[in-house]
């Protein structure tokens, strides 16, 4: 947890330094134009005009002029360009044009990176992310639509959905550390209304494997996340009797074990930080021993989300890592708000955004977990409760994760009140994260995790997923529509959806702003969905227009609708459908051989070449009514082709439905 306190301290230090650097470089900028060349006159004039506009209160004009000055400096001085974009962002923010401010600060970050000013770049990017709004649309779909799209087949990984986890050793209402009665493996389920099949326990190098707790976990069908910390330093980690002893004990426990060795190694607050090569060697040593002795153990590599851009240095390799984890905490802190009025600031950040870097680097091949994290609702440093902010962010976090990061397969809540327990954390991070300490917080958590997408057992998988409309399209029938909406004001009150002048849904229920929307009137069309989000005062906070392709028709097999991850379309009278979804539904097999798609079912074999209308059916050349095409990574084939696989195809024009039997 210390990484978050460290983060705030470092960013504040960067901001202070950046103010000094800005002042000095602005002086240098001016000095460089005391005897300007002809080429330099224009940027200097723009800079002077921007300052004059700022002093007169014309902030929008000042922002534009600062931007023009930045563009004029791109080739000759990336530092001056960064400074000018920083000023432009500040002026746009004063004009309440927050998206423009975010874009300017993002440009500032880019030019700081060009000059290897990493900390200044991080500070500028933080400002950009703070104010920038975002809207993304999703439709709820049966999980079979995506098949194994988000599945890596790692140990204990569910195909779809996310396992719930908890650390509640310090929660007196659900756990008695003296005699373990009550024990949080049972009582936390009662408190939250959901079993959490992953139970976290911390240990230092040299501690025995918790065999007693493992048996209690086994009794409820759960798994142990064991955070083993090399607190004596990496040199003490050897392939010795101790390592073999805990590996054999883990095997004897006969439960799934997620072994998180040396977490947050990219932060300088842990004694195993500082030597990536040695860390990777010790991770390999531990992983090899557990793999040799305990096949029921999955190795978890879990850096801290901050410092940014350092975690990859410590990655031990795909062959050693089963899961990638991350630590992420949310605490109310308006002190870094780049557009706060004196004495007043908001905190519009979303804890889910902390997954961005680790997800980008590893999610294509490893399941991701929140190894530990929580959202604080009482700050002991200021003696201030932030209950409303925490409730909004808990709901937002659990709504956002399956939509933005579907490869996150486990989430572990840190259920601790750090104000009443010994802690190595300091300052703003000393918060109350204990769910049972506040009835409103507990009820919010219960609601947020009530979606059956969140799994209560290791052998479960979610029956539904959330598909983003810009990629997957909308099916031509009523669906559950939801959204991720981020605005500068974190307290949105209402989100409305419209196509043209027609309102297709409106929600006041909070994230994920679910409605039932009927896309059947727009079958086969490309439409624009307008999303409007309103703040607490009823003012329009965000508006976005999102292009959506609506499927041309629906397909049913023996009366049951087939779910697609890419919508069918009708071209020249022929319906083209994603072959993988059809094959999954009908029990056909698919393979690719020398660029040709081979489909087999009930003794029949079809060989297809994308782009060619000629197929080979059971060895005979046949001309299809349309050529297969590849779109967005999917192979679409003419539906009538399925008749060669022993299926019958009928068409109902009134309902725009193709029936397969």
């Amino acid at each position: 947890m210390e990484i978050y306190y460290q983060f705030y301290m470092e960013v504040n230090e960067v901001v202070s330094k950046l103010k000094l650097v800005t002042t000095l470089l602005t002086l240098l900028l001016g000095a460089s134009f005391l005897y300007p060349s002809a080429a330099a006159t224009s940027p200097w004039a723009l800079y002077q005009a921007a300052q004059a506009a700022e002093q007169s209160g014309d902030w929008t004009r000042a922002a534009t002029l600062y931007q023009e000055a930045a563009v004029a400096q791109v080739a000759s001085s990336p530092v001056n360009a960064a400074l000018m974009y920083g000023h432009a962002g500040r002026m746009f923010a004063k004009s309440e044009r927050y998206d423009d401010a975010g874009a300017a600060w993002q440009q500032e970050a880019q030019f700081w990176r060009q000059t290897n000013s990493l900390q200044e770049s991080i500070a500028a990017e933080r400002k950009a992310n703070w104010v920038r709004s975002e809207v993304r649309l999703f439709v709820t779909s049966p999980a079979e639509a995506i098949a194994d799209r988000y599945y890596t087949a790692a140990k204990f990984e569910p195909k779809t959905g996310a396992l719930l986890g908890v650390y509640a050793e310090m929660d007196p209402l659900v756990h008695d550390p003296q005699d373990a009665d009550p024990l949080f493996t049972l009582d936390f389920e009662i408190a939250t209304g959901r079993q959490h099949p992953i139970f976290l326990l911390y240990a230092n190098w040299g501690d025995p494997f918790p065999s007693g707790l493992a048996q209690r976990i086994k009794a409820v069908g759960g798994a142990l996340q064991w955070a083993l910390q090399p607190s004596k330093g990496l040199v003490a980690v050897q392939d010795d009797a101790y390592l073999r002893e805990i590996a054999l004990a883990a095997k004897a426990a006969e439960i799934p074990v997620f072994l998180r060795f040396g977490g947050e190694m990219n932060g300088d607050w842990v004694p195993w930080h500082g030597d990536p090569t040695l860390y990777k060697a010790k991770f390999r040593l531990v992983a090899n021993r557990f793999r040799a002795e305990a096949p029921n153990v999955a190795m978890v590599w879990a850096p801290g989300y901050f410092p940014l851009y350092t975690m990859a240095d410590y990655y031990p390799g795909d062959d050693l890592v089963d899961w990638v984890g991350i630590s992420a905490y949310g605490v109310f802190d308006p002190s870094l708000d780049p557009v706060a009025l004196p004495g007043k600031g908001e905190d519009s950040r979303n804890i889910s955004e902390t997954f961005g870097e680790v997800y980008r680097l590893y999610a294509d091949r490893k399941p991701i977990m929140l190894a530990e994290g929580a959202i604080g609702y009482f700050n002991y440093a200021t003696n201030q409760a932030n209950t409303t902010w925490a409730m909004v962010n808990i709901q937002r976090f659990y709504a956002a994760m399956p939509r933005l990061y579907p490869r996150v397969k486990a989430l572990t809540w840190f259920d601790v009140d750090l104000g009443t327990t010994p802690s190595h954390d300091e300052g703003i991070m000393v918060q109350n994260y204990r769910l049972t300490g506040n009835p409103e917080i507990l009820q919010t958590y219960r609601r947020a995790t009530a979606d059956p997408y969140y799994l209560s057992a290791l052998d479960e998988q979610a029956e539904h997923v959330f598909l983003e409309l810009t990629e997957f399209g909308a099916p031509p029938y009523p669906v559950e529509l939801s959204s991720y909406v981020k605005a500068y004001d974190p307290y949105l009150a209402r989100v409305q959806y419209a196509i043209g002048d027609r309102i297709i849904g409106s929600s006041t229920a909070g994230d994920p702003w679910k409605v039932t929307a009927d896309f059947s009137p727009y079958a086969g069309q490309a439409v624009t969905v307008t999303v409007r989000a309103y703040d607490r005062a009823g003012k329009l906070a965000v508006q976005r227009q999102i292009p959506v392709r609506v499927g041309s028709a629906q397909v049913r097999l023996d009366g049951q609708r087939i779910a697609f991850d890419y919508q069918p379309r009708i071209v020249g009278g022929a319906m083209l459908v994603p072959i993988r979804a059809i094959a999954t539904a009908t029990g056909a097999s698919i393979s690719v051989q020398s660029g040709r798609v081979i489909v087999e079912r009930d003794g029949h074999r079809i060989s297809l070449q994308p782009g060619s209308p000629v197929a080979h059916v059971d060895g005979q050349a046949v001309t299809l009514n349309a050529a297969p095409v590849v779109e967005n990574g999917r192979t679409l084939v003419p539906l009538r082709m399925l008749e060669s696989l022993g299926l019958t195809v009928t068409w109902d024009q009134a309902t725009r439905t193709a029936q397969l039997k």
Side-chain angles (χ1 to χ4, degrees), residues 502-526:
R502 178 172 174 256
I503 305 299
I504 62 171
S506 183
S507 173
T508 59
D511 292 273
W513 309 105
K514 293 189 295 187
V515 300
T516 298
D518 186 2
F519 285 92
S520 60
Y522 311 100
Q525 300 180 32

Side-chain angles (χ1 to χ4, degrees), residues 314-367:
Y314 290 86
Y315 187 61
D318 288 348
D319 60 322
L320 300 174
V321 175
D322 296 305
W323 287 63
V324 170
I326 193 170
S327 300
Y329 288 82
V331 296
F332 179 73
D333 181 19
S335 67
L336 300 178
D337 188 341
V339 297
L341 297 174
K344 182 181 180 181
E346 296 287 5
D347 191 338
S348 59
R349 298 164 301 159
N350 187 342
I351 184 177
S352 65
E353 295 171 358
T354 61
F355 281 77
E357 182 72 0
V358 73
Y359 200 86
R360 179 183 68 82
L361 290 174
Y362 306 108
D364 63 328
R365 58 196 188 277
K366 299 294 178 182

Side-chain angles (χ1 to χ4, degrees), residues 340-471:
L341 297 174
K344 182 181 180 181
E346 296 287 5
D347 191 338
S348 59
R349 298 164 301 159
N350 187 342
I351 184 177
S352 65
E353 295 171 358
T354 61
F355 281 77
E357 182 72 0
V358 73
Y359 200 86
R360 179 183 68 82
L361 290 174
Y362 306 108
D364 63 328
R365 58 196 188 277
K366 299 294 178 182
I368 309 297
M369 70 159 58
L370 175 64
E372 63 173 80
I375 295 170
Y377 60 87
F378 188 91
N379 182 354
Y380 286 97
T382 61
N383 202 36
Q384 179 183 8
N386 302 296
T387 303
T388 301
W389 178 89
M391 291 167 62
V392 166
N393 279 276
I394 290 171
Q395 183 169 343
R396 178 176 298 160
F397 174 72
Y398 284 96
M401 292 307 293
R403 291 169 172 82
L404 305 188
Y405 304 114
R407 295 179 186 270
V408 172
K409 298 297 183 71
L411 299 165
T412 302
W413 184 273
F414 185 75
D415 187 58
V416 178
D417 181 356
L418 290 182
T420 60
T421 60
S423 172
H424 57 267
D425 294 287
E426 303 177 54
I428 196 171
M429 298 311 298
V430 182
Q431 298 260 338
N432 193 346
Y433 306 98
R434 183 161 62 86
L435 295 174
T436 60
N438 183 306
E440 291 179 291
I441 294 294
L442 178 59
Q443 288 305 313
T444 300
Y445 181 84
R446 289 176 67 111
R447 288 193 300 270
T449 58
D451 189 327
Y453 183 90
Y454 291 109
L455 308 176
S456 294
L458 295 170
D459 58 353
E460 290 181 349
Q461 62 183 41
E463 295 183 355
H464 66 271
V465 292
F466 306 98
L467 305 182
E468 189 160 12
L469 290 191
T470 52
E471 178 182 358

Side-chain angles (χ1 to χ4, degrees), residues 109-237:
Q110 174 185 331
F111 286 105
W112 284 128
R113 280 197 295 273
Q114 287 186 16
T115 63
N116 294 318
S117 302
L118 182 59
Q119 294 303 319
E120 287 82 357
S121 174
I122 291 173
E125 194 157 6
R126 174 190 56 78
K127 291 186 297 184
N129 290 337
W130 196 294
V131 301
R132 190 164 40 208
S133 58
E134 183 180 4
V135 176
R136 294 169 67 175
L137 281 178
F138 301 87
V139 62
T140 306
S141 173
E144 58 262 27
I146 63 166
D148 294 341
R149 182 183 179 91
Y150 302 132
Y151 182 57
T152 70
K155 285 184 181 180
F156 318 129
E157 177 191 2
K159 280 193 174 183
T160 52
L163 297 162
L164 291 171
V166 62
Y167 174 70
E169 284 271 320
M170 309 303 290
D171 186 339
L173 293 185
V174 299
H175 183 79
D176 185 340
Q178 301 302 318
D179 62 8
D181 187 15
L183 187 70
F184 67 98
T185 55
L186 299 174
D187 282 51
F188 195 77
E189 175 185 5
I190 297 172
T192 60
R194 296 289 300 275
Q195 180 59 282
H196 288 53
I198 298 178
F199 301 96
L200 167 61
L201 188 69
Y202 297 91
N204 291 315
W205 190 260
D207 291 346
F209 182 82
S211 299
L213 176 61
Q215 292 308 303
R216 303 290 290 269
I217 292 174
K218 183 178 181 180
V220 296
L224 171 68
Q225 184 201 151
W226 200 37
L228 184 57
Q229 304 173 132
S231 52
K232 300 175 184 178
L234 290 170
V235 174
V237 177

Side-chain angles (χ1 to χ4, degrees), residues 64-78:
T64 302
L65 290 168
Y66 279 129
Q67 277 189 318
E68 293 177 5
V71 172
Q73 289 289 290
V74 165
S76 60
S77 176

Side-chain angles (χ1 to χ4, degrees), residues 246-267:
I246 58 175
L248 291 172
K251 177 183 180 180
E254 297 182 329
I255 63 170
V257 176
F258 296 91
L259 176 58
R260 175 162 53 120
F261 172 75
E264 300 180 13
M265 76 303 296
N266 56 325

Side-chain angles (χ1 to χ4, degrees), residues 25-48 69 72-73 76-77 80 84:
L25 289 176
T26 301
L27 290 173
L28 290 173
L29 175 68
S32 69
F33 291 120
L34 290 177
Y35 304 98
S37 65
T41 302
S42 179
W44 176 234
L46 289 167
Y47 175 65
Q48 287 185 314
Q73 289 289 290
S76 60
S77 176
N80 284 343
M84 293 303 99

